[in-house]
């Protein structure tokens, strides 16, 4: 029987949903993060459960041909990216297999074959939003990532996913802060000022800086340092200070105070200019988001002159694109600032046939029906937890011919596909999209149709 701290040798057979490698030691399952099928490894066991164990790589005995570097194997080696040890074509292959696996196991579609994952044009520096926590290392202020399953921060030379402008701003900010010795927040003592830095960038190479501090008020000193940052980097168009004095893991504070420049930065998708504020939900990889939206809209039979609900609409991106052809779009979103950004964007772009509804989808959808509003179809783009079961019941009651479902979590999506099938619907089309290269995350777009009886 395996014990914690045992050092064993193992060969990795496959990658399972969630991105970890799986091998067997005397027929006992062992999960190994950052491992690749065909790796022969020396690992240290870090936990043992009834039916499986987990281990971390100590040494690569023989590297898989799908591995990018036979000498690097830790989470930190790969800048906190859990799929960066794989060559890009292999990342796409395993994402496809992960989607296929959950569709078979959870959705019960035993003969499904998933198409190749749509590759991302940019596989590095594609993120337009990054949040890094502050920490202190050898008396120096650093930012970076949390070590796996811990709150200890490690610094990297360059964040391989962050936009190049974002990286430049963070580097410059750290130099300014280190010259001025501002205190760093300690979550155990709940003392110190600097909590996190958020950078948002757009396709025009403009940036918004949000400094999150443990305070109820802004000091002139902090303001002065941020103005110095703007002096040094002219691409910064907006600076906020976010006040977060609560003992919480939530990053952004309830009060976000604009101290310089524009309230929001803009992004253009399909000819529509979108406003992005500190709290806005917006797609992280814009180039790939445009392709994702085009596929999702193409899945509909016909949206001309239709009444459409954009459920979990964020800032209303896909809703506004669809409004160009649709008769009316109802964009339902629970985050108030995202709805407000959407309203502002619609007004500025002269889009009059979209209505933003701030509230929970399961509640607001029922309200629309009770108010006798016509609904021809729905596009869903829920958070990781997927749809509330009541929503699927509502769709079935409406007897909608089809819905389109964009998902950021294949396992909850597979669960929902099964629930739809129990209500007389069938998965008609499925396309996986790689929105986040170097990570194990994968998005899916699906067309779900009512079975004609």
């Amino acid at each position: 029987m395996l014990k914690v701290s045992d050092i064993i040798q193992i060969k990795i057979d496959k990658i399972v949903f969630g991105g970890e490698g799986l091998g067997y030691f005397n027929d006992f399952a062992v999960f190994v993060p950052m491992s690749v099928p065909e790796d022969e490894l020396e690992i240290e066991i870090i936990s043992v459960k009834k039916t499986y164990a987990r281990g971390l790589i100590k040494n690569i005995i023989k590297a898989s041909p799908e591995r990018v570097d036979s000498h690097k194997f830790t989470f930190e080696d790969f800048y906190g990216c859990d799929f960066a040890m794989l060559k890009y074509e292999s990342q796409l292959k395993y994402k496809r297999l992960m989607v296929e696996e959950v569709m078979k196991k959870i959705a019960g579609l035993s003969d499904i074959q998933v198409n190749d994952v749509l590759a991302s044009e940019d596989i590095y520096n594609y993120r337009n939003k990054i949040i890094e926590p502050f920490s202190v290392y050898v008396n120096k202020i650093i930012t970076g990532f949390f070590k796996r399953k811990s709150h200890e921060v490690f610094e990297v030379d360059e964040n391989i996913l962050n936009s190049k402008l974002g990286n430049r701003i963070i580097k410059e900010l750290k130099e300014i802060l280190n010259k001025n010795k501002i205190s760093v927040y300690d979550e155990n003592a709940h003392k110190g000022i600097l909590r996190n830095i958020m950078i948002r960038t757009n396709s025009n190479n403009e940036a918004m800086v949000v400094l999150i501090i443990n305070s109820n008020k802004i000091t002139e000193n902090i303001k002065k340092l941020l103005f110095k940052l703007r002096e040094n980097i002219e691409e910064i168009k907006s600076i906020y200070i976010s006040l977060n004095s609560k003992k919480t893991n939530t990053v952004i504070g309830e009060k976000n105070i604009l101290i310089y420049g524009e309230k929001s930065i803009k992004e253009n998708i399909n000819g529509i200019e979108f406003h992005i504020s500190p709290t806005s939900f917006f797609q992280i990889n814009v180039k790939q988001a445009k392709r994702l939206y085009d596929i999702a809209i193409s899945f509909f039979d016909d949206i001309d002159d239709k009444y459409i609900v954009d459920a979990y609409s964020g800032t209303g991106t896909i809703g506004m694109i669809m409004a160009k052809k649709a008769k009316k779009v109802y964009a339902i979103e629970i985050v108030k600032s995202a709805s407000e950004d959407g309203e502002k964007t619609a007004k500025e772009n002269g889009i009059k046939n979209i209505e933003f509804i701030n509230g929970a989808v399961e509640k607001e959808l029922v309200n629309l029906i009770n108010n006798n509003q016509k609904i021809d179809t729905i596009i869903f783009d829920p958070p990781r937890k997927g749809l509330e079961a009541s929503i699927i019941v509502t769709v079935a009651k409406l007897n909608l011919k089809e819905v389109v479902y964009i998902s950021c979590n294949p396992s909850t999506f597979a669960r929902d596909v099964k629930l739809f099938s129990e209500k007389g619907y069938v998965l008609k089309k499925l396309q996986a999209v790689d929105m986040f290269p170097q990570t194990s995350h994968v998005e899916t777009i699906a067309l779900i149709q009512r079975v004609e009886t």
Side-chain angles (χ1 to χ4, degrees):
M1 184 66 183
L2 285 174
K3 305 186 301 297
V4 171
S5 299
D6 279 356
I7 307 288
I8 62 165
Q9 288 188 9
I10 197 164
K11 186 173 181 181
I12 302 300
D13 294 342
K14 63 184 285 197
I15 284 178
V16 295
F17 181 71
E20 293 191 346
L22 169 65
Y24 290 89
F25 183 77
N26 296 338
D27 296 328
F28 192 71
V30 182
F31 294 99
V32 185
M34 310 304 289
S35 66
V36 178
E38 291 186 59
D39 269 348
E40 289 176 30
L41 307 168
E42 182 181 72
I43 67 166
E44 181 177 352
I45 299 299
I46 56 164
S47 71
V48 181
K49 305 286 187 223
K50 227 177 195 172
T51 54
Y52 67 91
R54 289 182 82 245
L56 295 180
I57 303 171
K58 296 277 287 177
N59 183 31
I60 297 176
I61 299 161
K62 187 180 173 204
S64 162
E66 293 182 305
R67 191 175 262 287
V68 290
D69 188 324
S70 57
H71 302 292
K72 290 180 174 179
F73 49 78
T74 69
F75 190 57
E76 293 76 17
D77 282 340
F78 290 104
Y79 311 98
C81 300
D82 65 349
F83 248 35
M85 70 285 178
L86 283 162
K87 291 173 180 171
Y88 188 55
E89 60 272 21
S90 298
Q91 293 182 32
L92 296 173
K93 173 179 122 178
Y94 290 114
K95 288 183 185 197
R96 180 180 67 77
L97 290 172
M98 285 195 293
V99 172
E100 213 163 82
E101 183 184 17
V102 292
M103 295 315 292
K104 284 176 179 175
K105 282 186 177 170
I106 301 171
L109 302 173
S110 53
D111 54 355
I112 193 167
Q113 282 193 310
V114 176
N115 294 335
D116 287 347
V117 176
L118 184 71
S120 176
E121 199 180 306
D122 298 326
I123 63 169
Y124 298 110
N125 305 111
Y126 59 80
R127 285 188 68 102
N128 57 21
K129 174 187 170 186
I130 203 86
I131 299 171
E132 292 190 8
F134 285 101
S135 190
V136 175
Y137 183 72
V138 198
N139 292 324
K140 188 172 143 243
I141 296 171
I142 65 165
T143 65
F145 300 94
F146 289 122
K147 287 188 176 177
R148 205 160 186 161
K149 301 202 184 295
S150 100
H151 269 208
E152 193 185 332
V153 174
F154 70 93
E155 189 172 38
V156 296
D157 302 332
E158 190 180 331
N159 182 330
I160 59 170
L161 303 189
N162 192 13
S163 67
K164 287 182 174 165
L165 173 59
N167 280 335
R168 211 173 98 222
I169 292 169
I170 286 175
K171 192 177 176 197
E172 183 67 32
L173 176 65
K174 284 189 279 196
E175 282 178 20
I176 292 169
L177 292 173
N178 273 301
K179 280 178 193 158
N180 289 271
K181 294 289 176 226
I182 307 292
S183 64
V184 170
Y185 179 65
D186 176 331
E187 65 179 350
N188 296 319
H190 193 52
K191 283 184 178 153
I193 295 289
L194 301 170
R195 288 183 83 136
N196 297 81
I197 178 69
M198 179 207 278
I199 311 289
R200 301 193 83 147
T201 52
N202 64 12
S203 305
N204 302 327
N205 210 35
E206 296 170 335
M208 170 185 284
V209 173
V210 184
L211 183 71
I212 297 106
I213 62 171
N214 173 40
S215 176
N216 292 316
K217 61 181 192 299
I218 297 173
T219 64
E220 283 308 310
N221 189 24
I222 294 269
K223 266 169 106 168
K224 205 168 76 189
L225 299 181
L226 289 170
F227 290 147
K228 173 81 179 139
L229 177 69
R230 166 61 187 87
E231 241 173 71
N232 296 357
I233 299 179
E234 62 182 26
E235 291 94 334
I236 296 170
K237 301 297 174 196
S238 171
I239 303 175
Y240 279 87
I241 293 175
S242 180
L243 304 177
N244 184 359
S245 57
K246 288 185 175 173
K247 215 169 181 177
T248 174
N249 285 334
T250 305
V251 174
I252 293 278
E254 284 169 17
K255 262 182 124 177
N256 300 306
I257 299 154
L258 180 72
I259 63 158
Y260 170 83
E262 304 289 327
K263 260 184 162 178
S264 56
I265 56 171
K266 291 177 183 176
E267 187 59 82
N268 192 299
I269 291 187
N270 290 35
I272 300 168
E273 291 253 296
F274 289 91
H275 286 268
I276 302 157
S277 70
T279 53
S280 295
F281 169 78
F282 201 74
Q283 286 289 3
I284 294 295
N285 180 348
V286 168
K287 266 189 202 168
Q288 197 69 336
K290 290 177 184 180
R291 298 169 82 193
L292 176 122
Y293 294 145
D294 287 345
I295 293 167
I297 293 167
S298 77
F299 274 10
F300 284 108
D301 177 30
D302 175 23
I303 61 166
D304 288 4
D305 293 325
K306 293 285 196 303
Y307 290 82
I308 298 167
V309 173
D310 176 8
Y312 309 95
S313 62
T315 52
T317 317
I318 203 161
M320 282 187 244
I321 297 166
M322 293 175 85
K324 290 179 175 182
K325 287 185 172 182
K327 183 82 172 165
K328 175 88 187 247
V329 175
Y330 298 101
I332 306 173
E333 170 56 48
I334 201 158
V335 178
K336 200 166 194 294
S337 61
S339 295
E340 287 167 353
D341 282 346
E343 280 178 340
K344 188 177 175 186
T345 302
K347 204 172 178 184
E348 288 208 344
N349 286 274
I351 302 165
K352 296 191 169 85
N353 59 334
I354 187 164
E355 183 183 326
F356 286 86
I357 300 166
N358 182 234
V361 170
E362 57 274 21
K363 191 170 135 241
E364 299 302 337
L365 196 53
V366 171
N367 285 347
L368 283 175
I369 297 160
N370 291 344
N371 292 330
N372 296 318
Q373 301 292 352
K374 191 178 180 202
I375 298 171
D376 290 311
T377 191
I378 303 174
I379 185 159
F380 293 106
D381 190 359
R384 290 189 65 77
K385 66 175 186 174
L387 300 180
E388 295 289 333
S390 67
I391 293 171
I392 297 168
V393 173
T394 304
V395 169
K397 273 187 193 161
L398 280 169
N399 205 21
L400 296 180
K401 188 183 91 171
E402 61 184 19
V403 296
V404 169
Y405 187 147
I406 300 170
S407 166
C408 58
N409 183 351
S411 67
T412 56
F413 165 70
R415 175 204 70 200
D416 291 346
V417 166
K418 192 169 187 348
L419 291 174
F420 269 112
S421 72
E422 289 163 7
K423 296 289 175 194
Y425 283 79
V426 65
L427 178 66
K428 204 72 184 161
K429 289 182 185 174
L430 178 63
Q431 177 62 56
V433 179
D434 190 21
M435 295 293 290
F436 309 109
Q438 315 308 328
T439 79
S440 60
H441 294 291
V442 59
E443 300 244 343
T444 53
I445 315 162
L447 172 65
I448 297 167
Q449 276 184 348
R450 188 182 65 222
V451 178
E452 297 296 342
T453 48

